[in-house]
PDB file of all heavy atoms in Angstrom:
ATOM      1  N   TRP A  28      62.007 -47.870 -50.042  1.00  0.00           N
ATOM      2  CA  TRP A  28      63.431 -48.106 -49.854  1.00  0.00           C
ATOM      3  C   TRP A  28      64.187 -47.869 -51.153  1.00  0.00           C
ATOM      4  O   TRP A  28      63.683 -48.144 -52.248  1.00  0.00           O
ATOM      5  CB  TRP A  28      63.690 -49.541 -49.425  1.00  0.00           C
ATOM      6  CG  TRP A  28      63.413 -49.845 -47.990  1.00  0.00           C
ATOM      7  CD1 TRP A  28      62.688 -49.095 -47.112  1.00  0.00           C
ATOM      8  CD2 TRP A  28      63.828 -51.031 -47.295  1.00  0.00           C
ATOM      9  NE1 TRP A  28      62.621 -49.743 -45.902  1.00  0.00           N
ATOM     10  CE2 TRP A  28      63.314 -50.919 -45.978  1.00  0.00           C
ATOM     11  CE3 TRP A  28      64.561 -52.158 -47.643  1.00  0.00           C
ATOM     12  CZ2 TRP A  28      63.533 -51.916 -45.017  1.00  0.00           C
ATOM     13  CZ3 TRP A  28      64.780 -53.130 -46.696  1.00  0.00           C
ATOM     14  CH2 TRP A  28      64.276 -53.005 -45.389  1.00  0.00           C
ATOM     15  N   SER A  29      65.409 -47.405 -51.034  1.00  0.00           N
ATOM     16  CA  SER A  29      66.333 -47.369 -52.165  1.00  0.00           C
ATOM     17  C   SER A  29      67.062 -48.710 -52.249  1.00  0.00           C
ATOM     18  O   SER A  29      67.027 -49.517 -51.310  1.00  0.00           O
ATOM     19  CB  SER A  29      67.346 -46.247 -51.976  1.00  0.00           C
ATOM     20  OG  SER A  29      68.170 -46.524 -50.852  1.00  0.00           O
ATOM     21  N   PHE A  30      67.758 -48.926 -53.369  1.00  0.00           N
ATOM     22  CA  PHE A  30      68.602 -50.126 -53.463  1.00  0.00           C
ATOM     23  C   PHE A  30      69.666 -50.117 -52.370  1.00  0.00           C
ATOM     24  O   PHE A  30      69.986 -51.156 -51.783  1.00  0.00           O
ATOM     25  CB  PHE A  30      69.261 -50.219 -54.835  1.00  0.00           C
ATOM     26  CG  PHE A  30      70.411 -51.191 -54.873  1.00  0.00           C
ATOM     27  CD1 PHE A  30      70.199 -52.550 -54.749  1.00  0.00           C
ATOM     28  CD2 PHE A  30      71.716 -50.728 -55.006  1.00  0.00           C
ATOM     29  CE1 PHE A  30      71.259 -53.456 -54.764  1.00  0.00           C
ATOM     30  CE2 PHE A  30      72.781 -51.606 -55.027  1.00  0.00           C
ATOM     31  CZ  PHE A  30      72.552 -52.983 -54.897  1.00  0.00           C
ATOM     32  N   ALA A  31      70.204 -48.951 -52.073  1.00  0.00           N
ATOM     33  CA  ALA A  31      71.226 -48.869 -51.035  1.00  0.00           C
ATOM     34  C   ALA A  31      70.683 -49.341 -49.690  1.00  0.00           C
ATOM     35  O   ALA A  31      71.385 -50.033 -48.926  1.00  0.00           O
ATOM     36  CB  ALA A  31      71.739 -47.435 -50.923  1.00  0.00           C
ATOM     37  N   GLN A  32      69.439 -49.003 -49.384  1.00  0.00           N
ATOM     38  CA  GLN A  32      68.832 -49.476 -48.137  1.00  0.00           C
ATOM     39  C   GLN A  32      68.616 -50.983 -48.158  1.00  0.00           C
ATOM     40  O   GLN A  32      68.852 -51.670 -47.160  1.00  0.00           O
ATOM     41  CB  GLN A  32      67.493 -48.770 -47.910  1.00  0.00           C
ATOM     42  CG  GLN A  32      67.606 -47.313 -47.507  1.00  0.00           C
ATOM     43  CD  GLN A  32      66.253 -46.637 -47.434  1.00  0.00           C
ATOM     44  OE1 GLN A  32      65.648 -46.307 -48.465  1.00  0.00           O
ATOM     45  NE2 GLN A  32      65.757 -46.445 -46.228  1.00  0.00           N
ATOM     46  N   ALA A  33      68.160 -51.507 -49.315  1.00  0.00           N
ATOM     47  CA  ALA A  33      67.964 -52.951 -49.429  1.00  0.00           C
ATOM     48  C   ALA A  33      69.290 -53.692 -49.287  1.00  0.00           C
ATOM     49  O   ALA A  33      69.374 -54.746 -48.627  1.00  0.00           O
ATOM     50  CB  ALA A  33      67.308 -53.288 -50.765  1.00  0.00           C
ATOM     51  N   ARG A  34      70.325 -53.160 -49.886  1.00  0.00           N
ATOM     52  CA  ARG A  34      71.641 -53.780 -49.793  1.00  0.00           C
ATOM     53  C   ARG A  34      72.143 -53.763 -48.340  1.00  0.00           C
ATOM     54  O   ARG A  34      72.678 -54.771 -47.853  1.00  0.00           O
ATOM     55  CB  ARG A  34      72.620 -53.043 -50.695  1.00  0.00           C
ATOM     56  CG  ARG A  34      74.028 -53.596 -50.659  1.00  0.00           C
ATOM     57  CD  ARG A  34      74.903 -52.963 -51.707  1.00  0.00           C
ATOM     58  NE  ARG A  34      76.171 -53.669 -51.829  1.00  0.00           N
ATOM     59  CZ  ARG A  34      76.945 -53.639 -52.884  1.00  0.00           C
ATOM     60  NH1 ARG A  34      76.584 -52.919 -53.939  1.00  0.00           N
ATOM     61  NH2 ARG A  34      78.074 -54.313 -52.926  1.00  0.00           N
ATOM     62  N   ALA A  35      71.989 -52.659 -47.671  1.00  0.00           N
ATOM     63  CA  ALA A  35      72.421 -52.563 -46.282  1.00  0.00           C
ATOM     64  C   ALA A  35      71.644 -53.548 -45.404  1.00  0.00           C
ATOM     65  O   ALA A  35      72.212 -54.152 -44.474  1.00  0.00           O
ATOM     66  CB  ALA A  35      72.238 -51.133 -45.775  1.00  0.00           C
ATOM     67  N   PHE A  36      70.349 -53.727 -45.695  1.00  0.00           N
ATOM     68  CA  PHE A  36      69.534 -54.684 -44.958  1.00  0.00           C
ATOM     69  C   PHE A  36      70.088 -56.092 -45.117  1.00  0.00           C
ATOM     70  O   PHE A  36      70.242 -56.834 -44.133  1.00  0.00           O
ATOM     71  CB  PHE A  36      68.086 -54.614 -45.457  1.00  0.00           C
ATOM     72  CG  PHE A  36      67.182 -55.659 -44.861  1.00  0.00           C
ATOM     73  CD1 PHE A  36      66.539 -55.431 -43.649  1.00  0.00           C
ATOM     74  CD2 PHE A  36      66.941 -56.860 -45.522  1.00  0.00           C
ATOM     75  CE1 PHE A  36      65.690 -56.387 -43.100  1.00  0.00           C
ATOM     76  CE2 PHE A  36      66.102 -57.822 -44.986  1.00  0.00           C
ATOM     77  CZ  PHE A  36      65.475 -57.577 -43.765  1.00  0.00           C
ATOM     78  N   VAL A  37      70.378 -56.490 -46.358  1.00  0.00           N
ATOM     79  CA  VAL A  37      70.911 -57.827 -46.620  1.00  0.00           C
ATOM     80  C   VAL A  37      72.275 -58.009 -45.949  1.00  0.00           C
ATOM     81  O   VAL A  37      72.518 -59.013 -45.256  1.00  0.00           O
ATOM     82  CB  VAL A  37      71.014 -58.088 -48.135  1.00  0.00           C
ATOM     83  CG1 VAL A  37      71.760 -59.397 -48.414  1.00  0.00           C
ATOM     84  CG2 VAL A  37      69.630 -58.123 -48.770  1.00  0.00           C
ATOM     85  N   ASP A  38      73.170 -57.052 -46.146  1.00  0.00           N
ATOM     86  CA  ASP A  38      74.505 -57.167 -45.571  1.00  0.00           C
ATOM     87  C   ASP A  38      74.451 -57.300 -44.050  1.00  0.00           C
ATOM     88  O   ASP A  38      75.143 -58.135 -43.457  1.00  0.00           O
ATOM     89  CB  ASP A  38      75.352 -55.944 -45.945  1.00  0.00           C
ATOM     90  CG  ASP A  38      75.820 -55.955 -47.394  1.00  0.00           C
ATOM     91  OD1 ASP A  38      75.867 -57.054 -47.980  1.00  0.00           O
ATOM     92  OD2 ASP A  38      76.126 -54.879 -47.927  1.00  0.00           O
ATOM     93  N   SER A  39      73.626 -56.482 -43.421  1.00  0.00           N
ATOM     94  CA  SER A  39      73.525 -56.511 -41.963  1.00  0.00           C
ATOM     95  C   SER A  39      72.947 -57.825 -41.464  1.00  0.00           C
ATOM     96  O   SER A  39      73.436 -58.411 -40.485  1.00  0.00           O
ATOM     97  CB  SER A  39      72.661 -55.342 -41.487  1.00  0.00           C
ATOM     98  OG  SER A  39      72.462 -55.388 -40.098  1.00  0.00           O
ATOM     99  N   LEU A  40      71.903 -58.320 -42.153  1.00  0.00           N
ATOM    100  CA  LEU A  40      71.263 -59.549 -41.718  1.00  0.00           C
ATOM    101  C   LEU A  40      72.184 -60.751 -41.905  1.00  0.00           C
ATOM    102  O   LEU A  40      72.239 -61.645 -41.047  1.00  0.00           O
ATOM    103  CB  LEU A  40      69.950 -59.755 -42.472  1.00  0.00           C
ATOM    104  CG  LEU A  40      69.050 -60.868 -41.937  1.00  0.00           C
ATOM    105  CD1 LEU A  40      68.655 -60.602 -40.495  1.00  0.00           C
ATOM    106  CD2 LEU A  40      67.801 -61.007 -42.818  1.00  0.00           C
ATOM    107  N   VAL A  41      72.913 -60.796 -43.013  1.00  0.00           N
ATOM    108  CA  VAL A  41      73.856 -61.892 -43.238  1.00  0.00           C
ATOM    109  C   VAL A  41      74.916 -61.895 -42.140  1.00  0.00           C
ATOM    110  O   VAL A  41      75.257 -62.957 -41.583  1.00  0.00           O
ATOM    111  CB  VAL A  41      74.503 -61.759 -44.631  1.00  0.00           C
ATOM    112  CG1 VAL A  41      75.715 -62.689 -44.757  1.00  0.00           C
ATOM    113  CG2 VAL A  41      73.480 -62.090 -45.714  1.00  0.00           C
ATOM    114  N   GLN A  42      75.424 -60.735 -41.788  1.00  0.00           N
ATOM    115  CA  GLN A  42      76.419 -60.661 -40.715  1.00  0.00           C
ATOM    116  C   GLN A  42      75.830 -61.118 -39.383  1.00  0.00           C
ATOM    117  O   GLN A  42      76.482 -61.840 -38.609  1.00  0.00           O
ATOM    118  CB  GLN A  42      76.941 -59.232 -40.596  1.00  0.00           C
ATOM    119  CG  GLN A  42      77.768 -58.763 -41.779  1.00  0.00           C
ATOM    120  CD  GLN A  42      78.125 -57.288 -41.684  1.00  0.00           C
ATOM    121  OE1 GLN A  42      77.991 -56.676 -40.626  1.00  0.00           O
ATOM    122  NE2 GLN A  42      78.557 -56.706 -42.788  1.00  0.00           N
ATOM    123  N   GLU A  43      74.607 -60.698 -39.114  1.00  0.00           N
ATOM    124  CA  GLU A  43      73.958 -61.056 -37.850  1.00  0.00           C
ATOM    125  C   GLU A  43      73.765 -62.570 -37.735  1.00  0.00           C
ATOM    126  O   GLU A  43      74.084 -63.178 -36.700  1.00  0.00           O
ATOM    127  CB  GLU A  43      72.610 -60.351 -37.765  1.00  0.00           C
ATOM    128  CG  GLU A  43      71.772 -60.730 -36.554  1.00  0.00           C
ATOM    129  CD  GLU A  43      70.372 -60.125 -36.626  1.00  0.00           C
ATOM    130  OE1 GLU A  43      70.271 -58.919 -36.964  1.00  0.00           O
ATOM    131  OE2 GLU A  43      69.405 -60.841 -36.355  1.00  0.00           O
ATOM    132  N   VAL A  44      73.240 -63.186 -38.781  1.00  0.00           N
ATOM    133  CA  VAL A  44      72.975 -64.618 -38.742  1.00  0.00           C
ATOM    134  C   VAL A  44      74.286 -65.410 -38.727  1.00  0.00           C
ATOM    135  O   VAL A  44      74.417 -66.433 -38.029  1.00  0.00           O
ATOM    136  CB  VAL A  44      72.085 -65.034 -39.930  1.00  0.00           C
ATOM    137  CG1 VAL A  44      71.893 -66.548 -39.986  1.00  0.00           C
ATOM    138  CG2 VAL A  44      70.734 -64.334 -39.841  1.00  0.00           C
ATOM    139  N   ALA A  45      75.280 -64.947 -39.464  1.00  0.00           N
ATOM    140  CA  ALA A  45      76.571 -65.637 -39.489  1.00  0.00           C
ATOM    141  C   ALA A  45      77.224 -65.624 -38.111  1.00  0.00           C
ATOM    142  O   ALA A  45      77.867 -66.607 -37.712  1.00  0.00           O
ATOM    143  CB  ALA A  45      77.496 -64.974 -40.509  1.00  0.00           C
ATOM    144  N   ALA A  46      77.048 -64.544 -37.365  1.00  0.00           N
ATOM    145  CA  ALA A  46      77.678 -64.436 -36.048  1.00  0.00           C
ATOM    146  C   ALA A  46      77.146 -65.465 -35.064  1.00  0.00           C
ATOM    147  O   ALA A  46      77.799 -65.729 -34.032  1.00  0.00           O
ATOM    148  CB  ALA A  46      77.476 -63.027 -35.502  1.00  0.00           C
ATOM    149  N   GLU A  47      76.006 -66.066 -35.361  1.00  0.00           N
ATOM    150  CA  GLU A  47      75.417 -67.065 -34.476  1.00  0.00           C
ATOM    151  C   GLU A  47      75.972 -68.467 -34.696  1.00  0.00           C
ATOM    152  O   GLU A  47      75.666 -69.379 -33.931  1.00  0.00           O
ATOM    153  CB  GLU A  47      73.892 -67.073 -34.668  1.00  0.00           C
ATOM    154  CG  GLU A  47      73.232 -65.743 -34.349  1.00  0.00           C
ATOM    155  CD  GLU A  47      71.789 -65.649 -34.831  1.00  0.00           C
ATOM    156  OE1 GLU A  47      71.300 -66.630 -35.438  1.00  0.00           O
ATOM    157  OE2 GLU A  47      71.172 -64.601 -34.602  1.00  0.00           O
ATOM    158  N   ASP A  48      76.776 -68.637 -35.730  1.00  0.00           N
ATOM    159  CA  ASP A  48      77.384 -69.934 -36.044  1.00  0.00           C
ATOM    160  C   ASP A  48      78.878 -69.863 -35.748  1.00  0.00           C
ATOM    161  O   ASP A  48      79.558 -68.948 -36.226  1.00  0.00           O
ATOM    162  CB  ASP A  48      77.151 -70.257 -37.526  1.00  0.00           C
ATOM    163  CG  ASP A  48      77.749 -71.580 -37.935  1.00  0.00           C
ATOM    164  OD1 ASP A  48      78.981 -71.620 -38.187  1.00  0.00           O
ATOM    165  OD2 ASP A  48      77.008 -72.570 -38.019  1.00  0.00           O
ATOM    166  N   PRO A  49      79.436 -70.789 -34.950  1.00  0.00           N
ATOM    167  CA  PRO A  49      80.847 -70.700 -34.577  1.00  0.00           C
ATOM    168  C   PRO A  49      81.797 -70.638 -35.763  1.00  0.00           C
ATOM    169  O   PRO A  49      82.797 -69.901 -35.728  1.00  0.00           O
ATOM    170  CB  PRO A  49      81.072 -71.978 -33.741  1.00  0.00           C
ATOM    171  CG  PRO A  49      79.717 -72.317 -33.224  1.00  0.00           C
ATOM    172  CD  PRO A  49      78.746 -71.909 -34.277  1.00  0.00           C
ATOM    173  N   TRP A  50      81.498 -71.408 -36.825  1.00  0.00           N
ATOM    174  CA  TRP A  50      82.378 -71.406 -37.987  1.00  0.00           C
ATOM    175  C   TRP A  50      82.202 -70.129 -38.811  1.00  0.00           C
ATOM    176  O   TRP A  50      83.175 -69.468 -39.175  1.00  0.00           O
ATOM    177  CB  TRP A  50      82.135 -72.633 -38.856  1.00  0.00           C
ATOM    178  CG  TRP A  50      82.863 -72.575 -40.174  1.00  0.00           C
ATOM    179  CD1 TRP A  50      82.334 -72.369 -41.410  1.00  0.00           C
ATOM    180  CD2 TRP A  50      84.276 -72.699 -40.370  1.00  0.00           C
ATOM    181  NE1 TRP A  50      83.298 -72.353 -42.370  1.00  0.00           N
ATOM    182  CE2 TRP A  50      84.517 -72.554 -41.753  1.00  0.00           C
ATOM    183  CE3 TRP A  50      85.358 -72.898 -39.515  1.00  0.00           C
ATOM    184  CZ2 TRP A  50      85.786 -72.617 -42.299  1.00  0.00           C
ATOM    185  CZ3 TRP A  50      86.627 -72.960 -40.067  1.00  0.00           C
ATOM    186  CH2 TRP A  50      86.849 -72.820 -41.436  1.00  0.00           C
ATOM    187  N   LEU A  51      80.954 -69.760 -39.092  1.00  0.00           N
ATOM    188  CA  LEU A  51      80.708 -68.581 -39.925  1.00  0.00           C
ATOM    189  C   LEU A  51      81.101 -67.290 -39.215  1.00  0.00           C
ATOM    190  O   LEU A  51      81.370 -66.278 -39.874  1.00  0.00           O
ATOM    191  CB  LEU A  51      79.231 -68.529 -40.340  1.00  0.00           C
ATOM    192  CG  LEU A  51      78.763 -69.657 -41.264  1.00  0.00           C
ATOM    193  CD1 LEU A  51      77.282 -69.489 -41.588  1.00  0.00           C
ATOM    194  CD2 LEU A  51      79.589 -69.716 -42.542  1.00  0.00           C
ATOM    195  N   ALA A  52      81.141 -67.319 -37.921  1.00  0.00           N
ATOM    196  CA  ALA A  52      81.575 -66.124 -37.187  1.00  0.00           C
ATOM    197  C   ALA A  52      83.023 -65.778 -37.492  1.00  0.00           C
ATOM    198  O   ALA A  52      83.399 -64.601 -37.494  1.00  0.00           O
ATOM    199  CB  ALA A  52      81.389 -66.351 -35.689  1.00  0.00           C
ATOM    200  N   ILE A  53      83.844 -66.814 -37.767  1.00  0.00           N
ATOM    201  CA  ILE A  53      85.245 -66.549 -38.091  1.00  0.00           C
ATOM    202  C   ILE A  53      85.524 -66.671 -39.587  1.00  0.00           C
ATOM    203  O   ILE A  53      86.594 -66.270 -40.065  1.00  0.00           O
ATOM    204  CB  ILE A  53      86.175 -67.493 -37.296  1.00  0.00           C
ATOM    205  CG1 ILE A  53      85.878 -68.959 -37.638  1.00  0.00           C
ATOM    206  CG2 ILE A  53      86.042 -67.247 -35.804  1.00  0.00           C
ATOM    207  CD1 ILE A  53      86.854 -69.944 -37.031  1.00  0.00           C
ATOM    208  N   THR A  54      84.563 -67.260 -40.341  1.00  0.00           N
ATOM    209  CA  THR A  54      84.685 -67.380 -41.798  1.00  0.00           C
ATOM    210  C   THR A  54      83.381 -66.880 -42.417  1.00  0.00           C
ATOM    211  O   THR A  54      82.565 -67.674 -42.891  1.00  0.00           O
ATOM    212  CB  THR A  54      84.951 -68.841 -42.208  1.00  0.00           C
ATOM    213  OG1 THR A  54      85.972 -69.389 -41.387  1.00  0.00           O
ATOM    214  CG2 THR A  54      85.360 -68.939 -43.674  1.00  0.00           C
ATOM    215  N   PRO A  55      83.136 -65.593 -42.371  1.00  0.00           N
ATOM    216  CA  PRO A  55      81.824 -65.074 -42.762  1.00  0.00           C
ATOM    217  C   PRO A  55      81.531 -65.280 -44.247  1.00  0.00           C
ATOM    218  O   PRO A  55      82.444 -65.287 -45.072  1.00  0.00           O
ATOM    219  CB  PRO A  55      81.909 -63.587 -42.425  1.00  0.00           C
ATOM    220  CG  PRO A  55      83.361 -63.276 -42.408  1.00  0.00           C
ATOM    221  CD  PRO A  55      84.051 -64.518 -41.935  1.00  0.00           C
ATOM    222  N   PRO A  56      80.259 -65.449 -44.591  1.00  0.00           N
ATOM    223  CA  PRO A  56      79.869 -65.559 -45.992  1.00  0.00           C
ATOM    224  C   PRO A  56      80.186 -64.285 -46.769  1.00  0.00           C
ATOM    225  O   PRO A  56      80.269 -63.191 -46.194  1.00  0.00           O
ATOM    226  CB  PRO A  56      78.348 -65.793 -45.938  1.00  0.00           C
ATOM    227  CG  PRO A  56      78.072 -66.244 -44.541  1.00  0.00           C
ATOM    228  CD  PRO A  56      79.106 -65.583 -43.686  1.00  0.00           C
ATOM    229  N   THR A  57      80.359 -64.448 -48.062  1.00  0.00           N
ATOM    230  CA  THR A  57      80.568 -63.323 -48.967  1.00  0.00           C
ATOM    231  C   THR A  57      79.276 -63.053 -49.726  1.00  0.00           C
ATOM    232  O   THR A  57      78.659 -63.975 -50.263  1.00  0.00           O
ATOM    233  CB  THR A  57      81.701 -63.640 -49.966  1.00  0.00           C
ATOM    234  OG1 THR A  57      82.893 -63.903 -49.243  1.00  0.00           O
ATOM    235  CG2 THR A  57      81.938 -62.463 -50.892  1.00  0.00           C
ATOM    236  N   VAL A  58      78.868 -61.795 -49.792  1.00  0.00           N
ATOM    237  CA  VAL A  58      77.626 -61.414 -50.475  1.00  0.00           C
ATOM    238  C   VAL A  58      77.974 -60.577 -51.699  1.00  0.00           C
ATOM    239  O   VAL A  58      78.817 -59.679 -51.629  1.00  0.00           O
ATOM    240  CB  VAL A  58      76.701 -60.603 -49.545  1.00  0.00           C
ATOM    241  CG1 VAL A  58      75.381 -60.283 -50.258  1.00  0.00           C
ATOM    242  CG2 VAL A  58      76.444 -61.360 -48.256  1.00  0.00           C
ATOM    243  N   ARG A  59      77.342 -60.910 -52.816  1.00  0.00           N
ATOM    244  CA  ARG A  59      77.541 -60.158 -54.062  1.00  0.00           C
ATOM    245  C   ARG A  59      76.183 -59.835 -54.662  1.00  0.00           C
ATOM    246  O   ARG A  59      75.294 -60.694 -54.684  1.00  0.00           O
ATOM    247  CB  ARG A  59      78.369 -60.978 -55.060  1.00  0.00           C
ATOM    248  CG  ARG A  59      78.712 -60.232 -56.346  1.00  0.00           C
ATOM    249  CD  ARG A  59      79.484 -61.136 -57.305  1.00  0.00           C
ATOM    250  NE  ARG A  59      78.671 -62.237 -57.785  1.00  0.00           N
ATOM    251  CZ  ARG A  59      77.851 -62.159 -58.840  1.00  0.00           C
ATOM    252  NH1 ARG A  59      77.738 -61.027 -59.513  1.00  0.00           N
ATOM    253  NH2 ARG A  59      77.144 -63.209 -59.214  1.00  0.00           N
ATOM    254  N   PHE A  60      76.040 -58.622 -55.170  1.00  0.00           N
ATOM    255  CA  PHE A  60      74.776 -58.177 -55.747  1.00  0.00           C
ATOM    256  C   PHE A  60      74.920 -58.064 -57.264  1.00  0.00           C
ATOM    257  O   PHE A  60      75.727 -57.278 -57.761  1.00  0.00           O
ATOM    258  CB  PHE A  60      74.372 -56.822 -55.160  1.00  0.00           C
ATOM    259  CG  PHE A  60      74.011 -56.888 -53.702  1.00  0.00           C
ATOM    260  CD1 PHE A  60      75.014 -56.861 -52.738  1.00  0.00           C
ATOM    261  CD2 PHE A  60      72.698 -57.002 -53.308  1.00  0.00           C
ATOM    262  CE1 PHE A  60      74.705 -56.938 -51.397  1.00  0.00           C
ATOM    263  CE2 PHE A  60      72.377 -57.075 -51.961  1.00  0.00           C
ATOM    264  CZ  PHE A  60      73.377 -57.046 -51.002  1.00  0.00           C
ATOM    265  N   GLY A  61      74.132 -58.854 -57.984  1.00  0.00           N
ATOM    266  CA  GLY A  61      74.115 -58.804 -59.443  1.00  0.00           C
ATOM    267  C   GLY A  61      72.698 -59.030 -59.931  1.00  0.00           C
ATOM    268  O   GLY A  61      71.911 -59.729 -59.282  1.00  0.00           O
ATOM    269  N   GLY A  62      72.339 -58.476 -61.070  1.00  0.00           N
ATOM    270  CA  GLY A  62      70.964 -58.584 -61.549  1.00  0.00           C
ATOM    271  C   GLY A  62      70.096 -57.514 -60.912  1.00  0.00           C
ATOM    272  O   GLY A  62      70.547 -56.396 -60.646  1.00  0.00           O
ATOM    273  N   PHE A  63      68.835 -57.847 -60.667  1.00  0.00           N
ATOM    274  CA  PHE A  63      67.861 -56.865 -60.195  1.00  0.00           C
ATOM    275  C   PHE A  63      68.375 -56.009 -59.042  1.00  0.00           C
ATOM    276  O   PHE A  63      68.906 -56.521 -58.050  1.00  0.00           O
ATOM    277  CB  PHE A  63      66.598 -57.566 -59.702  1.00  0.00           C
ATOM    278  CG  PHE A  63      65.612 -57.939 -60.765  1.00  0.00           C
ATOM    279  CD1 PHE A  63      65.085 -59.213 -60.822  1.00  0.00           C
ATOM    280  CD2 PHE A  63      65.194 -57.004 -61.703  1.00  0.00           C
ATOM    281  CE1 PHE A  63      64.155 -59.559 -61.791  1.00  0.00           C
ATOM    282  CE2 PHE A  63      64.269 -57.335 -62.674  1.00  0.00           C
ATOM    283  CZ  PHE A  63      63.749 -58.626 -62.714  1.00  0.00           C
TER     284      PHE A  63
END
C-alpha cells in the first residue's frame, strides 16, 4: 500500500463507523494525519 491508500482506508472506515452512531452521523469526527 501507499500512504495515500492507507489514508483513504482510515478516512473511509472512520466515516463508516461514525455513520452508525446517531450523534456522530450528524457531527462526524475530524481526522488529521501527522507523524509517520
Side-chain angles (χ1 to χ4, degrees):
W28 282 16
S29 65
F30 164 69
Q32 288 174 284
R34 179 172 191 158
F36 174 86
V37 172
D38 285 338
S39 176
L40 191 60
V41 167
Q42 292 174 15
E43 175 187 315
V44 175
E47 299 167 359
D48 180 279
W50 171 252
L51 294 180
I53 60 173
T54 313
T57 301
V58 183
R59 184 182 66 86
F60 292 82
F63 277 131

